[in-house]
Amino acid sequence: MTNSSPGHVGSPPPRPIEWPVLLAITLPILTLCLSIAFLRLDQLERELQIAQQLDHGKQANLEGSSQSRSQSGQALDQRTERAKNSALHLQIARGARLALAPTPLSSIASTSLRHQGWQLIFWALIAAAGLSLMGYRIATRPWRRIGNWAKQLENGELTLSAPSASGLAGAIAASLEVIATRLRFSRDALQLSACGKQDFQGERLARLRLEFEHLEREHLQLQQQFARRSNSTSGMCHELRTPLTAILGFAGLLEKSGLPAEELNYAQTISKSAKSLIGMINDLLDMERIEANRLEIHEADFDPNFAVEDTLSLIAPLAYEKNLELLSIVDHDIPALLLGDAPRLQQILTNLLSNAIKFTHRGQVMLRVSHTANTEDRVWIRFEVEDTGVGISPEQQELLFTPFQRFESPLDRLEGGSGLGLSIVKQLCDLLQGRIEVYSRHAEGSRFAVTLPFVRPTIRGHTANWQALRGLRLWALESQDACWRPLQHRLDFWQVDYSRFRSAAELFRTLENIGVEKRPQLVLIGIRADEIKEVTLQQVLRWLKQADLPSLGLVNSADNRIHQHIKLAGATAAMPRCIERDRLYRTLSELSSQKGKAATRKSPLQDSHFLVAENNAASRHYLQALLQSLGGHVQLCENGRLALQAWTEKPARFVLLDMHMPELNGLELTRALRQQLQTKHTIIIGMSAYLSPAARQEWMRAGLDALLLKPFDETQLLHCLAPWLHEDAETTSTASGSLAEKLLDDPQLRQMILDELPRQLDDLDRGFMHGDLEKTRTATHQLHGTAAFFHLDPLSQRTGILEKRLQDIQDLEAQTWIRDDIASIRSAVAELLQILNVSNGSATLKAS
């Protein structure tokens, strides 16, 4: 019996049809009725034929058994023969019979017979249907009663008795009744149990509710305690940066002071330990922000080449301490300007590089930057850090990004560190919507690949002119293929005509045997720190010095003493291998034009005046020593109000001030200084251990030029001051003088400058007057590019400063210092135009 879904209580259940039963009853009845109908129809046909024969008197024959039948003389057709064969014989007397033979019916009789036949069939079907239905209902009555009873059982009425039935239906009903009885007993037992537990469940629910409320209160208290501890830890970590700045600074000064070997080792150990402590503090702060969900992304325009090179310069001492090579290859199709979070990118690279250096004991660490893809609004850049270290096993890779996870080195000891670096890298990659991949095998090195999306800004980055070294005949000594690839990558891009030598002996033989006219214009010496004392290398350096051939030594060391040793051996200059691209280009350009003579350079900050406002005595002492060692003149103040008074009495070109000071903090002091008319040419540099993005923006809007994060060293300080420092006097005179003469001697170039400078200055004025920051940035960038291309140094410096400051603001409102900067640029343009308009061309741009 077909199951059906339960209906509403009280509604009659559906009655499915039992087709086998219905067919079993219907077929016999239908056969019987149709048989009766056909017999009746045959009888009617015979009666009609006899009646028709008698009515017309067409055939009546007497047949005797003793007399021969008279034969008709006429031939009977086929229909008469069939009638004789079906004749009706009636016995009249002994020996005599009456034969009544049927004859074919007429058309009227045939039609009448057909109608009667259909009526008989119709009534036979009706009778069969009625009898079948009656029989089906009688046969399925017990099953229907059992089905209705089962439906009531399904609805929960388990107390009803089973309907009476016999045979198979009765047996099924009895079994269902047993099942219903057991269900009833189970239901009653369950109800008794539920009633017994209901009160218990209610009490338990109330107790759980109270416990939940208690836990919720404890959770809130723990959150408050965690927030207080987080703020306390954050403040303590930031406070630790201030003394660490002094520790690192004085350690760096001691390293340069010519200490004996043992004392120098002490100073280097102090510096290394302080840097390690700073790294752990930074990791803890970042992990704390990640756990508190306070790690945010702040996008700004930046040059990816500078970001990579700054990171390498900071991490290089760690690699050089282990006599490793730290190398980089940045593809030339990387955009010069991107929109993204440069500090977070540098943090990712720093963690990956330091981790690679930590687990690499020989060989090199390579950073490769490539352009992978472009989407509608994104530029995807891939950063790969590959090392020749111990590698990572599959088991370790599963735990690689787990916080506080540290692995053992082949020496069966734990490497130093907090164990947070890679975990922070993974979190930052997710936050930047990028991805990180790991490829490594145990004892075969590792490769970490980070792919990040950046936005291509509307302002196009400055396209540098790399034509100065085109065709330069350069020889390079480089025995290591890994170190040669990055150098070759740059030389090919600069279109230098180079030749490589794999050994000092090969280079020395070639130099001795080649003619003067075929000698190179410049020689690069790529060496390791432990190869400086090799005899053949010393011979090469002496020969180059005697032949007055300029040479540049590239060594895997950032130690100035090693660089000085290489120069004393005969090299014109010496630098670390991971030298920045722009600095290497400038150095090669200078050396190729100096004919082997070392340039006489003054101190980087010579004749520069600094006012330092810092409430920490150790930091003041360090800044004074650092600035004086670089040639600067320093005036110290212990709070903001004294600094304001000192600047009013004696204005300084550069003001370095701390954010947190008594009486007047850094923000208030900046506003007070910018209210003074004399400060339009004063550069204000802020110093702080940490600033939120909002606080940084507020300080920049107040008139801050740049920000230094504590702790910082000499390199970071000079990099921050670079846009406002004058170039080397001799280099500036040589480069700009020749270009100035060419510019003044070429009427077409002179006229082009006369047309372009006023137009670009008008674009800058319109952008500022309309309050359009993007147009102001674009116009400043174009003007800066023109000035830089033609070495118009005064204008280039002023537009460069304005361009840098415009990148750090979000709007032009209340930026009164911009008006002063534009006025300074306008004055520089007017002086240049006046010089260019001199008909005799005797004036020089340098005089401006």
Side-chain angles (χ1 to χ4, degrees):
M1 188 174 293
T2 307
N3 293 330
S4 60
S5 59
H8 299 287
V9 178
S11 61
R15 296 177 179 178
I17 298 175
E18 292 291 344
W19 291 105
V21 177
L22 182 59
L23 291 176
I25 295 174
T26 302
L27 288 178
I29 295 176
L30 180 61
T31 303
L32 178 62
C33 292
L34 289 177
S35 299
I36 296 173
F38 283 120
L39 289 174
R40 175 59 181 163
L41 182 62
D42 185 65
Q43 182 181 1
L44 288 175
E45 183 180 5
R46 291 177 181 274
E47 290 177 356
L48 285 174
Q49 288 176 349
I50 294 171
Q52 184 177 1
Q53 181 180 357
L54 293 175
D55 185 43
H56 293 82
K58 290 182 179 180
Q59 184 175 358
N61 296 323
L62 294 175
E63 297 179 359
S65 58
S66 61
Q67 299 178 359
S68 60
R69 276 188 302 185
S70 59
Q71 300 292 332
S72 174
Q74 299 177 356
L76 298 178
D77 56 10
Q78 185 176 1
R79 294 175 60 187
T80 304
E81 290 297 330
R82 286 198 302 270
K84 286 182 177 182
N85 293 333
S86 60
L88 177 62
H89 300 275
L90 300 177
Q91 188 72 33
I92 298 177
R94 185 175 182 181
R97 289 187 301 175
L98 178 62
L100 298 178
T103 60
L105 297 176
S106 63
S107 60
I108 297 176
S110 179
T111 301
S112 175
L113 181 62
R114 189 180 301 110
H115 288 170
Q116 291 181 8
W118 284 113
Q119 289 177 359
L120 286 174
I121 294 174
F122 173 75
W123 289 111
L125 292 175
I126 293 297
L131 292 174
S132 299
L133 181 60
M134 186 181 298
Y136 175 78
R137 292 181 63 83
I138 294 172
T140 58
R141 182 178 301 169
W143 297 104
R144 289 200 305 274
R145 290 202 297 266
I146 292 174
N148 292 335
W149 176 61
K151 181 62 66 175
Q152 291 175 334
L153 293 180
E154 183 182 350
N155 292 331
E157 299 178 11
L158 303 178
T159 58
L160 297 177
S161 300
S164 58
S166 59
L168 180 60
I172 294 175
S175 298
L176 289 176
E177 188 173 16
V178 173
I179 295 174
T181 302
R182 293 179 179 177
L183 288 175
R184 185 171 64 252
F185 287 157
S186 299
R187 183 191 63 183
D188 295 342
L190 183 61
Q191 287 178 350
L192 290 176
S193 177
C195 292
K197 292 182 179 180
Q198 185 173 4
D199 296 338
F200 173 76
Q201 294 292 342
E203 294 176 359
R204 184 181 179 186
L205 181 62
R207 186 170 62 254
L208 290 175
R209 186 179 292 109
L210 292 175
E211 291 180 0
F212 174 76
E213 293 175 355
H214 177 67
L215 291 175
E216 194 173 27
R217 288 194 298 270
E218 288 186 350
H219 176 67
L220 181 60
Q221 293 176 358
L222 288 175
Q223 281 185 327
Q224 295 173 351
Q225 293 177 3
F226 178 77
R228 290 194 296 270
R229 188 190 68 180
S230 176
N231 293 332
S232 176
T233 303
S234 178
M236 180 181 63
C237 291
H238 294 322
E239 290 298 326
L240 286 174
R241 293 172 184 259
T242 299
L244 283 174
T245 301
I247 293 173
L248 277 173
F250 282 115
L253 293 176
L254 285 174
E255 292 177 17
K256 300 177 182 179
S257 62
L259 293 174
E262 187 175 0
E263 285 79 359
L264 178 62
N265 187 30
Y266 295 161
Q268 291 175 344
T269 302
I270 293 173
S271 178
K272 182 178 179 181
S273 301
K275 290 179 180 178
S276 177
L277 182 58
I278 289 175
M280 287 188 285
I281 289 174
N282 293 335
D283 289 344
L284 287 173
L285 286 174
D286 287 329
M287 183 55 65
E288 186 177 278
R289 296 190 192 103
I290 290 172
E291 291 179 350
N293 199 22
R294 294 185 300 170
L295 196 62
E296 299 178 353
I297 296 300
H298 302 280
E299 294 184 336
D301 295 340
F302 75 100
D303 189 334
N305 285 282
F306 291 159
V308 170
E309 290 170 352
D310 287 348
T311 305
L312 289 173
S313 64
L314 292 176
I315 209 72
L318 296 178
Y320 295 155
E321 286 176 1
K322 302 177 70 173
N323 200 26
L324 301 175
E325 299 289 354
L326 182 61
L327 310 168
S328 67
I329 298 179
V330 181
D331 287 355
H332 302 301
D333 61 347
I334 300 295
L337 196 64
L338 292 174
L339 179 63
D341 195 330
R344 295 303 178 194
L345 170 61
Q346 290 181 308
Q347 187 176 5
I348 291 174
L349 297 180
T350 300
N351 281 323
L352 291 179
L353 289 169
S354 60
N355 194 70
I357 293 171
K358 183 189 305 180
F359 291 96
T360 303
H361 304 290
R362 62 178 180 272
Q364 69 274 341
V365 175
M366 171 74 76
L367 172 60
R368 179 67 186 263
V369 184
S370 58
H371 183 191
T372 60
N374 287 340
T375 58
E376 294 182 357
D377 59 343
R378 296 283 178 177
V379 178
W380 291 83
I381 307 298
R382 184 179 180 89
F383 303 86
E384 294 183 76
V385 176
E386 186 173 3
D387 61 63
T388 57
V390 298
I392 308 172
S393 64
E395 295 77 12
Q396 292 174 335
Q397 291 184 32
E398 295 179 358
L399 303 174
L400 200 57
F401 301 108
T402 304
F404 302 102
Q405 182 64 48
R406 300 166 67 192
F407 300 115
E408 292 186 357
S409 71
L411 302 179
D412 292 331
R413 64 179 178 82
L414 288 174
E415 295 288 348
S418 62
L420 293 174
L422 291 180
S423 175
I424 293 174
V425 168
K426 181 64 168 62
Q427 297 283 349
L428 290 176
C429 287
D430 295 340
L431 193 63
L432 294 170
Q433 300 179 359
R435 61 181 181 271
I436 182 171
E437 303 166 89
V438 182
Y439 309 92
S440 179
R441 289 185 179 180
H442 187 63
E444 295 184 9
S446 305
R447 179 162 57 93
F448 287 80
V450 173
T451 306
L452 299 175
F454 298 95
V455 178
R456 192 189 299 271
T458 55
I459 300 177
R460 299 185 62 183
H462 175 64
T463 303
N465 181 15
W466 305 105
Q467 301 298 317
L469 297 180
R470 183 176 183 180
L472 174 68
R473 191 165 62 254
L474 179 144
W475 287 5
L477 169 62
E478 184 56 73
S479 60
Q480 303 179 71
D481 291 336
C483 298
W484 171 247
R485 286 197 300 270
L487 182 59
Q488 183 184 25
H489 181 73
R490 292 178 175 178
L491 295 178
D492 285 336
F493 182 66
W494 294 333
Q495 301 182 27
V496 175
D497 181 13
Y498 60 84
S499 298
R500 178 193 177 187
F501 297 86
R502 294 180 177 272
S503 67
E506 179 186 3
L507 175 60
F508 186 64
R509 288 194 303 269
T510 307
L511 287 172
E512 284 187 322
N513 298 326
I514 198 170
V516 177
E517 70 281 355
K518 295 183 179 180
R519 287 178 180 177
Q521 298 172 270
L522 181 64
V523 179
L524 282 181
I525 308 294
I527 54 177
R528 298 172 62 89
D530 52 3
E531 298 174 346
I532 297 176
K533 296 182 179 181
E534 288 187 0
V535 177
T536 309
L537 179 62
Q538 295 286 332
Q539 292 176 346
V540 170
L541 293 176
R542 285 195 300 270
W543 193 97
L544 292 174
K545 185 175 183 179
Q546 294 173 0
D548 200 23
L549 280 179
S551 60
L552 172 63
L554 297 178
V555 61
N556 62 335
S557 175
D559 193 339
N560 288 327
R561 294 175 305 166
I562 295 179
H563 298 170
Q564 187 65 28
H565 183 77
I566 295 174
K567 288 189 286 186
L568 290 175
T572 311
M575 295 179 176
R577 283 193 190 272
C578 62
I579 181 176
E580 299 90 340
R581 179 189 60 177
D582 292 355
R583 185 182 174 193
L584 177 61
Y585 182 84
R586 290 196 304 269
T587 303
L588 294 179
S589 300
E590 294 173 6
L591 293 177
S592 63
S593 61
Q594 290 176 6
K595 298 181 181 180
K597 298 179 181 179
T600 303
R601 296 179 179 271
K602 63 180 181 181
S603 300
L605 302 182
Q606 185 173 336
D607 299 330
S608 298
H609 293 270
F610 290 85
L611 175 64
V612 177
E614 170 65 69
N615 64 317
N616 185 274
S619 296
R620 288 200 305 272
H621 189 190
Y622 162 65
L623 289 172
Q624 182 181 24
L626 176 62
L627 293 171
Q628 288 178 348
S629 68
L630 296 173
H633 304 281
V634 185
Q635 183 179 5
L636 299 177
C637 297
E638 61 185 18
N639 61 56
R641 190 167 299 280
L642 291 178
L644 181 60
Q645 295 175 359
W647 187 92
T648 304
E649 296 173 359
K650 186 180 180 180
R653 169 65 171 163
F654 297 96
V655 177
L656 272 67
L657 50 92
D658 188 31
M659 180 59 178
H660 303 287
M661 293 185 298
E663 299 192 30
L664 279 180
N665 61 26
L667 178 62
E668 296 168 341
L669 178 56
T670 302
R671 289 172 176 167
L673 288 174
R674 288 306 180 195
Q675 290 176 357
Q676 307 291 329
L677 296 178
Q678 299 90 338
T679 62
K680 64 179 181 179
H681 297 302
T682 298
I683 307 304
I684 303 178
I685 308 296
M687 301 180 297
S688 178
Y690 172 77
L691 277 181
S692 66
R696 181 180 301 188
Q697 291 295 332
E698 184 180 7
W699 203 356
M700 298 301 295
R701 284 194 293 267
L704 191 70
D705 292 289
L707 178 65
L708 273 171
L709 291 178
K710 298 179 180 179
F712 56 86
D713 55 14
E714 173 186 325
T715 302
Q716 292 168 306
L717 174 64
L718 291 177
H719 181 75
C720 179
L721 297 175
W724 299 281
L725 296 176
H726 293 288
E727 295 289 338
D728 178 82
E730 181 178 347
T731 305
T732 302
S733 176
T734 302
S736 60
S738 59
L739 285 179
E741 292 175 1
K742 181 178 179 181
L743 181 62
L744 290 174
D745 292 340
D746 192 328
Q748 293 182 351
L749 287 178
R750 184 170 65 250
Q751 187 59 43
M752 183 180 67
I753 292 299
L754 289 172
D755 295 338
E756 280 295 311
L757 288 180
R759 183 188 63 79
Q760 294 179 2
L761 183 61
D762 290 341
D763 292 341
L764 177 60
D765 287 335
R766 282 195 296 269
F768 176 69
M769 295 302 296
H770 294 163
D772 193 327
L773 178 60
E774 293 301 324
K775 289 184 178 180
T776 305
R777 287 174 174 173
T778 302
T780 305
H781 177 73
Q782 291 177 347
L783 192 57
H784 182 207
T786 301
F789 182 81
F790 290 102
H791 285 256
L792 307 177
D793 292 332
L795 179 60
S796 178
Q797 292 172 5
R798 298 177 189 181
T799 53
I801 293 173
L802 178 59
E803 184 177 14
K804 179 178 176 60
R805 297 176 69 173
L806 287 174
Q807 300 301 324
D808 297 327
I809 64 174
Q810 300 299 324
D811 55 68
L812 294 176
E813 295 182 3
Q815 307 295 339
T816 56
W817 52 267
I818 298 180
R819 190 181 302 277
D820 297 333
D821 288 355
I822 294 178
S824 175
I825 292 173
R826 189 181 294 108
S827 175
V829 171
E831 293 177 4
L832 287 171
L833 295 178
Q834 182 179 1
I835 294 173
L836 292 173
N837 282 320
V838 175
S839 58
N840 56 15
S842 59
T844 63
L845 294 178
K846 182 179 176 180
S848 64

